[in-house]
Amino acid sequence: MVSVTDTELASDLVVHAARLVRAVRRELELPAGTRIISLLDEHGQLGITQLADLDRCSQPTMSAAVAQLVESGWVSKAPNPADARGTVVTLSDSGRAELGRVRRLHGERVAALVDAHPDLTTEDLATAVAVLRGILQEGTP
């Protein structure tokens, strides 16, 4: 049974994780397309509509964003073999390299924040990662 304390702590985890992500993104001023290439890395090739649903935006908004990513070389578009009216978007090697660069920057910044905090340790960071990974692990109800 989930206690009130567990619920409050879980709520705090979500609030603070979201705040951390926003703060790091704001500070690093990363390209907007990072979110989309991250979705493609997580889910594999997707159609525009699927990407828009995952990103909670409109199809026209996603189409414009994908066009910019194609132009930058981070993704490619091809006809959807299952639906001639649609296309599939695939993360390119260049996009995967950019995503790796962005993730390294995120990691460096968060590691520096932990290092600068007198009461936090590498073990604390490992525990936080284990908790989030466990919650998000595939197959978890």
Side-chain angles (χ1 to χ4, degrees), residues 13-93:
L13 176 69
V14 171
V15 167
H16 293 294
R19 286 180 182 168
L20 175 64
V21 168
R22 283 191 307 271
V24 170
R25 282 183 178 163
R26 229 181 359 256
E27 186 176 322
L28 297 177
E29 298 179 20
L30 299 169
T34 304
R35 204 174 53 253
I36 298 167
I37 61 175
S38 182
L39 287 170
L40 290 168
D41 180 60
E42 181 180 355
H43 297 281
Q45 71 178 20
L46 295 167
I48 297 287
T49 301
Q50 292 168 303
L51 273 170
D53 289 346
L54 287 169
D55 198 44
R56 294 194 170 115
C57 69
S58 70
Q59 186 194 4
T61 298
M62 183 56 68
S63 290
V66 166
Q68 289 177 335
L69 292 173
V70 168
E71 199 172 297
S72 72
W74 293 352
V75 303
S76 62
K77 273 178 44 175
N80 185 340
D83 179 3
R85 299 168 298 168
T87 60
V88 290
V89 181
T90 305
L91 184 61
S92 69
D93 289 342

Side-chain angles (χ1 to χ4, degrees), residues 28 97-109:
L28 297 177
E98 175 62 13
L99 186 58
R101 183 187 77 82
V102 165
R103 287 178 174 167
R104 274 189 305 282
L105 289 172
H106 284 161
E108 289 167 0
R109 182 61 190 132

